[in-house]
Amino acid sequence: MEKGGNGNRVVVVGGGVAGSLVAKSLQFLAHVTLIDPKEYFEIPWANLRTMVEPTFAERTLINHRDYLTNGNIVTSNAINMTETEVLTAGGSQIAYDYLVIATGHADPVPKTRSERLDQYKAENLKIKSANSILIVGGGPTGVELAGEIAVDFPEKKLTLVHKGSRLMEFIGAKAADKTLNWLKSRNVEVKFEQSVDLNSVKDGHKMYQTTHGETIEADCHFLCIGKPLASAWLRETVLKDDVDSRGSIKVDEFLRVKGRNNIFAIGDITDIPEMKQGFLAHKHAEVVVKNLKGEENVSW
């Protein structure tokens, strides 16, 4: 193993789909350190199912230490980096020979697995105790959550408000129409080309105002809009010129940060023009693992 092995120090920032797989795959071939603000890995495509069936989380939340038995784990946020080390909010300075940035989207979640389990139980209680529910956002998350609730709790009155002219604009119109028809068949009311001012809602009040002046009555709401990329910490670092206006990191065909031989970026954080989905993040990780193992240069 020429590149990432033996004495080489590989630091992975981010413990999501991509980062966790890189750390797990290299732990017996290099000195691996995983930096992540939470103590566990979470299967992201199970999140919404877990809100309606909290026991699901027992299988989808895995402590990092359960699979990373031969690496270092630093439970903290990365806040800065140099050509040779990463600095964390907890004050650690972690030296690297190879760095893999896999911070994905900014999604503040609890630090411990037990706290995350409790959070899902609270979300489930919120759904169960409501007669009417407002979902803000008609992208994949909002549509999937509406579907999960409509199937498991058909007696709930569901309203979905979306600022676009059709659901999930990134897919074809035919698929979006089919999705809309399915939601309507489950008595989900869908309102397009408007948003909701959540700041105007006071505790204990159930009336929501849309930008079209409509009033929606709901016992609770879920905000399902896109989250920003978790790259703000890089904007004052040596990689500041490698982060574009959207917060994506510019990479080459080997998933290296452009112009760098020992710094990789993988998963949602890259500027690759593709749908940001878990299976692609998984493939990114496999490419980087092969390149760090010193196998032939593998391109994306």
Side-chain angles (χ1 to χ4, degrees), residues 2 13-14 20 41 44 49 54-55 57 80 87 91 119 136 143 223 226 231 244 249 269 276 293-294:
E2 178 190 340
V13 183
S20 295
F41 163 73
R49 181 68 214 157
T55 56
N80 202 347
L87 288 74
Q119 188 179 55
V136 181
V143 166
L223 184 61
S231 57
D244 68 20
I249 300 175
I269 202 81
K276 303 302 181 182
K293 279 182 176 179

Short mmCIF file of all heavy atoms in Angstrom, two decimals, residues 2 13-14 20 41 44 49 54-55 57 80 87 91 119 136 143 223 226 231 244 249 269 276 293-294:
data_model
loop_
_atom_site.label_atom_id
_atom_site.label_comp_id
_atom_site.label_asym_id
_atom_site.label_seq_id
_atom_site.Cartn_x
_atom_site.Cartn_y
_atom_site.Cartn_z
N GLU A 2 0.98 1.86 -1.14
CA GLU A 2 1.97 2.90 -1.34
C GLU A 2 1.55 4.23 -0.71
O GLU A 2 2.34 4.92 -0.09
CB GLU A 2 2.19 3.07 -2.84
CG GLU A 2 3.17 4.17 -3.19
CD GLU A 2 3.16 4.44 -4.67
OE1 GLU A 2 2.71 3.58 -5.43
OE2 GLU A 2 3.57 5.52 -5.06
N VAL A 13 -12.70 13.99 7.82
CA VAL A 13 -13.58 14.96 8.49
C VAL A 13 -15.01 14.71 8.03
O VAL A 13 -15.33 14.92 6.85
CB VAL A 13 -13.15 16.41 8.18
CG1 VAL A 13 -14.04 17.39 8.95
CG2 VAL A 13 -11.69 16.63 8.53
N GLY A 14 -15.84 14.23 8.93
CA GLY A 14 -17.23 13.95 8.61
C GLY A 14 -17.54 12.47 8.70
O GLY A 14 -16.89 11.65 8.04
N SER A 20 -17.52 7.77 6.82
CA SER A 20 -17.48 6.57 7.65
C SER A 20 -16.91 5.38 6.89
O SER A 20 -16.13 4.59 7.43
CB SER A 20 -18.88 6.22 8.16
OG SER A 20 -19.35 7.22 9.02
N PHE A 41 -22.79 6.94 13.46
CA PHE A 41 -23.15 7.02 12.04
C PHE A 41 -24.64 6.77 11.92
O PHE A 41 -25.20 5.93 12.63
CB PHE A 41 -22.38 5.96 11.25
CG PHE A 41 -22.95 5.67 9.89
CD1 PHE A 41 -22.80 6.59 8.86
CD2 PHE A 41 -23.64 4.50 9.63
CE1 PHE A 41 -23.34 6.34 7.60
CE2 PHE A 41 -24.18 4.23 8.38
CZ PHE A 41 -24.02 5.16 7.36
N PRO A 44 -28.84 7.70 6.40
CA PRO A 44 -29.68 8.87 6.16
C PRO A 44 -31.01 8.58 5.50
O PRO A 44 -32.00 9.26 5.75
CB PRO A 44 -28.80 9.79 5.28
CG PRO A 44 -27.80 8.86 4.65
CD PRO A 44 -27.58 7.76 5.63
N ARG A 49 -38.45 7.47 7.83
CA ARG A 49 -39.17 6.29 8.31
C ARG A 49 -39.10 6.21 9.83
O ARG A 49 -40.06 5.82 10.51
CB ARG A 49 -38.56 5.03 7.69
CG ARG A 49 -39.24 3.73 8.10
CD ARG A 49 -40.64 3.63 7.55
NE ARG A 49 -41.55 2.95 8.45
CZ ARG A 49 -42.87 3.09 8.42
NH1 ARG A 49 -43.44 3.91 7.56
NH2 ARG A 49 -43.61 2.43 9.26
N PRO A 54 -40.12 4.93 15.51
CA PRO A 54 -38.86 5.21 16.22
C PRO A 54 -37.99 3.99 16.49
O PRO A 54 -36.77 4.11 16.56
CB PRO A 54 -39.34 5.85 17.53
CG PRO A 54 -40.70 6.37 17.24
CD PRO A 54 -41.29 5.43 16.23
N THR A 55 -38.59 2.81 16.65
CA THR A 55 -37.78 1.61 16.92
C THR A 55 -36.85 1.28 15.75
O THR A 55 -35.86 0.57 15.92
CB THR A 55 -38.68 0.40 17.21
OG1 THR A 55 -39.59 0.21 16.11
CG2 THR A 55 -39.49 0.61 18.49
N ALA A 57 -34.79 3.18 14.49
CA ALA A 57 -33.50 3.81 14.75
C ALA A 57 -32.53 2.89 15.48
O ALA A 57 -31.31 3.10 15.41
CB ALA A 57 -33.69 5.10 15.54
N ASN A 80 -10.79 24.62 11.39
CA ASN A 80 -9.74 25.23 10.57
C ASN A 80 -8.81 24.13 10.10
O ASN A 80 -8.83 23.01 10.62
CB ASN A 80 -8.96 26.26 11.40
CG ASN A 80 -8.24 27.28 10.53
OD1 ASN A 80 -8.12 27.10 9.31
ND2 ASN A 80 -7.76 28.37 11.12
N LEU A 87 -7.66 21.56 12.77
CA LEU A 87 -7.94 22.06 14.11
C LEU A 87 -9.42 21.87 14.41
O LEU A 87 -10.27 22.09 13.54
CB LEU A 87 -7.58 23.55 14.23
CG LEU A 87 -6.09 23.90 14.24
CD1 LEU A 87 -5.48 23.76 12.85
CD2 LEU A 87 -5.88 25.32 14.74
N GLY A 91 -10.18 21.98 20.50
CA GLY A 91 -8.79 22.36 20.74
C GLY A 91 -7.76 21.36 20.23
O GLY A 91 -6.55 21.56 20.42
N GLN A 119 -34.69 11.99 20.42
CA GLN A 119 -35.20 12.99 19.48
C GLN A 119 -36.23 12.38 18.54
O GLN A 119 -37.28 12.97 18.27
CB GLN A 119 -34.04 13.60 18.70
CG GLN A 119 -34.43 14.78 17.83
CD GLN A 119 -33.24 15.37 17.09
OE1 GLN A 119 -32.53 14.66 16.37
NE2 GLN A 119 -33.00 16.66 17.28
N VAL A 136 -43.60 22.00 5.29
CA VAL A 136 -43.11 23.10 4.47
C VAL A 136 -41.95 22.61 3.63
O VAL A 136 -40.89 22.25 4.16
CB VAL A 136 -42.68 24.30 5.35
CG1 VAL A 136 -42.20 25.45 4.48
CG2 VAL A 136 -43.82 24.74 6.26
N VAL A 143 -41.74 15.48 0.53
CA VAL A 143 -42.62 14.51 -0.14
C VAL A 143 -42.56 13.16 0.58
O VAL A 143 -43.60 12.52 0.82
CB VAL A 143 -42.22 14.36 -1.62
CG1 VAL A 143 -42.88 13.13 -2.24
CG2 VAL A 143 -42.60 15.61 -2.39
N LEU A 223 -40.35 21.50 8.98
CA LEU A 223 -39.66 22.28 7.95
C LEU A 223 -38.73 21.35 7.17
O LEU A 223 -37.78 20.79 7.72
CB LEU A 223 -38.86 23.41 8.62
CG LEU A 223 -38.15 24.39 7.69
CD1 LEU A 223 -39.14 25.11 6.80
CD2 LEU A 223 -37.33 25.39 8.51
N GLY A 226 -34.06 22.59 1.89
CA GLY A 226 -32.66 22.22 1.73
C GLY A 226 -31.76 22.81 2.80
O GLY A 226 -31.95 23.93 3.24
N SER A 231 -19.50 23.62 4.64
CA SER A 231 -18.14 23.99 4.21
C SER A 231 -17.74 25.38 4.68
O SER A 231 -16.66 25.86 4.32
CB SER A 231 -18.06 23.95 2.67
OG SER A 231 -19.04 24.80 2.10
N ASP A 244 -16.61 26.99 -4.00
CA ASP A 244 -17.34 27.88 -4.90
C ASP A 244 -18.44 28.65 -4.16
O ASP A 244 -18.59 28.51 -2.94
CB ASP A 244 -17.89 27.12 -6.11
CG ASP A 244 -18.99 26.12 -5.76
OD1 ASP A 244 -19.62 26.25 -4.70
OD2 ASP A 244 -19.24 25.21 -6.58
N ILE A 249 -16.91 22.08 -2.92
CA ILE A 249 -15.47 22.01 -3.09
C ILE A 249 -15.15 21.52 -4.50
O ILE A 249 -15.70 20.52 -4.96
CB ILE A 249 -14.84 21.07 -2.05
CG1 ILE A 249 -15.14 21.56 -0.63
CG2 ILE A 249 -13.33 20.97 -2.25
CD1 ILE A 249 -14.66 20.61 0.45
N ILE A 269 -20.48 17.32 -0.58
CA ILE A 269 -19.69 18.55 -0.52
C ILE A 269 -19.01 18.88 -1.85
O ILE A 269 -18.57 20.01 -2.06
CB ILE A 269 -18.64 18.42 0.62
CG1 ILE A 269 -18.18 19.80 1.10
CG2 ILE A 269 -17.47 17.57 0.20
CD1 ILE A 269 -19.10 20.45 2.06
N LYS A 276 -27.35 14.56 -5.33
CA LYS A 276 -26.62 14.24 -4.09
C LYS A 276 -27.39 13.17 -3.33
O LYS A 276 -28.34 13.44 -2.61
CB LYS A 276 -26.44 15.50 -3.25
CG LYS A 276 -25.71 16.64 -3.97
CD LYS A 276 -24.32 16.22 -4.45
CE LYS A 276 -23.58 17.34 -5.14
NZ LYS A 276 -22.25 16.92 -5.64
N LYS A 293 -5.14 3.42 -1.29
CA LYS A 293 -4.47 2.12 -1.15
C LYS A 293 -3.31 1.98 -2.12
O LYS A 293 -2.54 1.03 -2.05
CB LYS A 293 -5.48 0.98 -1.39
CG LYS A 293 -6.34 0.66 -0.19
CD LYS A 293 -7.25 -0.51 -0.53
CE LYS A 293 -8.08 -0.93 0.67
NZ LYS A 293 -8.98 -2.05 0.33
N GLY A 294 -3.22 2.94 -3.07
CA GLY A 294 -2.13 2.87 -4.00
C GLY A 294 -2.39 1.95 -5.17
O GLY A 294 -1.49 1.60 -5.91
#
